[in-house]
Amino acid sequence: MSTKHGGGGVQLAGSILSGDLLDLGSAIRLCEQAGADLIQLDVCDGHFVPTISFGEAVVKRTCEATKLPVEVHLMVSRPDDWLSRMAGLGQFRMIFHLEASTRAMGVIQGIERGGWKPGVAINPETPASALEPVLPYLDNVCVMGIAPGFAGQAMLEYTFVKIADIRRLIEKTGSKATITVDGGVKSNNARRLVEAGADILVVSSGMFQHPRPPESLKEIRAACGETPKR
Ligand code: DX5
């Protein structure tokens, strides 16, 4: 199966949030060993979401420790304030929450000035239509399949409809944005997500809680009708 946007097959992002945070090196190596295409780092500030995860030091060390592309998912209030802290660390994409800013275009421009590709994430209760004004300026839209902040939740059913709505909006606005789905991705829903229009799937507990973690992403690729990467 190939994605509707890129045509090159689904991309899988490993998220280390449900890995052993006392052994981040192993968590990063597992993402590589399992065949992830990229790593997504979840920066949670304890304000936009109730949890606190890690900040710029972990982003820097992760970028140094892996050859995989690294993107940052800012689950923070006031994303503007975080851009200078995130400068020069090595990540290629910066995703912030539409709900966290009253000036999304300004944040997008700040991300571009920082040399990163801009992405916007939306929470389950934010409609696809809220993205329309900014879609032409985005590299990526990250659709939350769960309430953000915690790994290991079941994906909300409405996510599938929302992905299809965003795919239509992308076509309507001529945007080049890819669609990521984050939260609740497992081998039993991956194919439906790609069929709905997703390009990138973020996997955390589906990898770290898998009985054979290195096999987890291969199973997800196979569920999407694709040959394992390695
Ligand atoms: C949740 C994070 C997700 C999380 C997904 O707020 O944004 O990236 O790691 O975890 P799973 O795959 O367990 O739903």
Side-chain angles (χ1 to χ4, degrees), residues 15-18 40 42 44 49 73 75 144 146-153 182-186 202-206:
S15 160
I16 61 174
L17 203 58
S18 55
Q40 185 187 93
D42 290 315
C44 304
V49 289
H73 177 189
M75 281 177 271
M144 297 307 297
I146 55 168
F150 303 90
Q153 304 173 67
D182 183 13
V185 173
K186 300 281 179 331
V202 178
V203 187
S204 191
S205 57

Side-chain angles (χ1 to χ4, degrees), residues 123-152:
N123 284 339
E125 54 280 357
T126 302
S129 58
L131 289 165
E132 189 164 350
V134 293
L135 259 185
Y137 307 96
L138 294 179
D139 175 66
N140 177 259
V141 172
C142 182
V143 184
M144 297 307 297
I146 55 168
F150 303 90

